[in-house]
Each structure stands twice: as C-alpha cells, then as structure tokens.
Amino acid sequence: DGGITQSPKYLFRKEGQNVTLSCEQNLNHDAMYWYRQDPGQGLRLIYYSQIVNDFQKGDIAEGYSVSREKKESFPLTVTSAQKNPTAFYLCASSGTGPLYEQYFGPGTRLTVT
Amino acid sequence: SQKIEQNSEALNIQEGKTATLTCNYTNYSPAYLQWYRQDPGRGPVFLLLIRENEKEKRKERLKVTFDTTLKQSLFHITASQPADSATYLCALDMGYNQGGKLIFGQGTELSVKP
C-alpha cells in the first residue's frame, strides 16, 4: 500500500525544546517537501529536497532544519529558535519536474507551551 | 513577491447547485496551476492540474479554467453534494527550475447544504 506517513499525529513540547517530526514515503518519489499551515491560512513551504543529500530552504526556513539521508525519509526538526512553532505540519512528495502533483501525508499537529 | 488569493469568505451553497471558486495571482506567469481538496485535520489531496495553454479542463463534476490574461483560475463543482464540503486550495506550479515548488493560496471553505 503506497503512501506517505507522518508521525506522530499530535505532538506536545515545552518551549525551548527541539522536536523532530517524521516523514516517510514508499512512492519512490525523488522530491519531498515540508509545509506549515496555520489556522485559516494556506500552506507555506519550509524546506524541500529534490534528491538525496540535497535540500533547499523554502519561504520560512528560519528555526527549522532537515536532512535527506535516504530517498524515503525527510525528517524535520523544529528548533528552539523557531519563535512560533505551534502549527499543523504537512509533508509531501512528488516526482521531479513540472506536471507532477504532490502527495501529502496526514500531518502532525505540534503544540508548544 | 508572488501573491495568490482565493475567495476570502466561506462559500455556502445548496445541494445540486454549481459551486464556483476563484483563484487570482500576481507577479508571475505560471506554466501550470493545480487544485487540491483539504478536509479538516488532514493533508490536501490533488484534484486537477491545468497548463497555461489549456483554457479548460474537466474531470467528472469538476471543471477548471485558466485565464492567463486575467491571471485567474476558476474551479467549478457541478451538481454539488454535501460530501463536496471541504476547503479547496489552488497552487501555482513554479516549474522544474524551481524544484517543482508550489505556492498555495489560503483556500476557500465550501459548505454544501442538503
């Protein structure tokens, strides 16, 4: 059953702690993406990767870090430097190039208090 | 910078009517534009993609138009059903040179009443 998974569904952390969100895909996609969604807003791109061991900053990369050591995995770390980390985080993957739609995971809702 | 706007208010329609959602953009001429559906607390799901040289695209009860002169895309759902209630997102496809990045609008919430 091909797809993209994110874990956990809900995550709670104290302010000042780093936290890592998991994203795994078995669709054999080269490209992977991380988005953040706040209430009533669209998706904003945090980081993206077109190939293993390479990634680029999106529009709101400050306070976040990623790695892409395997094609299937693209974990996102929310660091203590991120000023407003509470949000809904979505991971997506796609084929490389235009005309490819993105497949999204179910999302992780992070709450930092 | 790139700006993309959708109907800012929620759209409420009666079952059986046609829903029309608007997506306007500025400062860019995308080669492609995509539409997604998002249910509460879930990830978006791809619906349709339309290219700049396609004026219209259809899929079952869905129809998308793309007017590059007006910098606007319209998304229509005909014979709407309560199950069509969701948030619909449009996204500009930045193309291969931009890593396949998509720029998303804020979404329009559609509610179809029985």
Side-chain angles (χ1 to χ4, degrees):
Chain A
D1 210 16
I4 181 165
T5 58
Q6 293 183 242
S7 61
K9 180 70 174 172
Y10 298 95
L11 192 54
F12 298 88
R13 280 292 183 271
K14 294 289 187 185
E15 196 174 315
Q17 293 179 334
N18 291 356
V19 59
T20 297
L21 282 59
S22 167
C23 178
E24 304 277 333
Q25 55 99 359
N26 61 3
L27 300 168
N28 200 33
H29 286 161
D30 287 313
M32 296 187 74
Y33 310 84
W34 273 106
Y35 295 91
R36 169 186 173 134
Q37 188 174 33
D38 294 285
Q41 296 191 33
L43 281 62
R44 291 185 291 167
L45 184 64
I46 304 172
Y47 269 98
Y48 65 103
S49 168
Q50 290 180 279
I51 197 168
V52 174
N53 291 323
D54 188 42
F55 47 83
Q56 285 76 40
K57 293 181 180 180
D59 300 317
I60 54 165
E62 185 175 351
Y64 300 97
S65 66
V66 294
S67 63
R68 187 86 188 275
E69 298 177 1
K70 298 187 300 180
K71 186 175 183 177
E72 304 80 18
S73 180
F74 192 40
L76 173 75
T77 296
V78 184
T79 75
S80 56
Q82 168 51 232
K83 295 177 182 175
N84 297 296
T86 294
F88 188 47
Y89 290 88
L90 287 158
C91 180
S93 69
S94 74
T96 306
L99 299 180
Y100 282 105
E101 69 266 31
Q102 294 187 7
Y103 291 78
F104 285 84
T108 292
R109 189 168 299 279
L110 173 65
T111 302
V112 177
T113 56
Chain B
S1 64
Q2 190 54 240
K3 191 174 181 182
I4 178 168
E5 286 191 354
Q6 300 185 239
N7 306 63
S8 56
E9 296 182 6
L11 185 62
N12 297 301
I13 65 168
Q14 205 67 32
E15 182 176 8
K17 302 293 186 184
T18 296
T20 298
L21 285 64
T22 304
C23 177
N24 295 296
Y25 59 92
T26 60
N27 300 335
Y28 186 71
S29 297
Y32 319 96
L33 191 144
Q34 301 186 19
W35 283 88
Y36 289 78
R37 169 186 172 138
Q38 185 177 25
D39 290 287
R42 308 188 75 161
V45 175
F46 172 78
L47 295 174
L48 281 168
L49 178 151
I50 187 165
R51 308 178 197 211
E52 62 176 343
N53 61 353
E54 294 178 317
K55 298 299 181 186
E56 180 180 298
K57 196 110 175 244
R58 291 176 186 260
K59 179 182 176 183
E60 298 173 352
R61 294 185 295 110
L62 308 180
K63 184 179 84 171
V64 173
T65 63
F66 193 9
D67 189 326
T68 54
T69 301
L70 293 178
K71 293 187 181 291
Q72 180 181 79
S73 175
L74 298 178
F75 178 81
H76 307 271
I77 305 175
T78 59
S80 60
Q81 304 166 1
D84 295 326
S85 298
T87 296
Y88 292 86
L89 302 164
C90 70
L92 304 183
D93 189 324
M94 305 296 283
Y96 181 75
N97 291 334
Q98 294 289 324
K101 288 167 52 178
L102 297 178
I103 298 178
F104 283 87
Q106 79 276 26
T108 298
E109 185 178 348
L110 172 67
S111 179
V112 182
K113 303 296 184 187

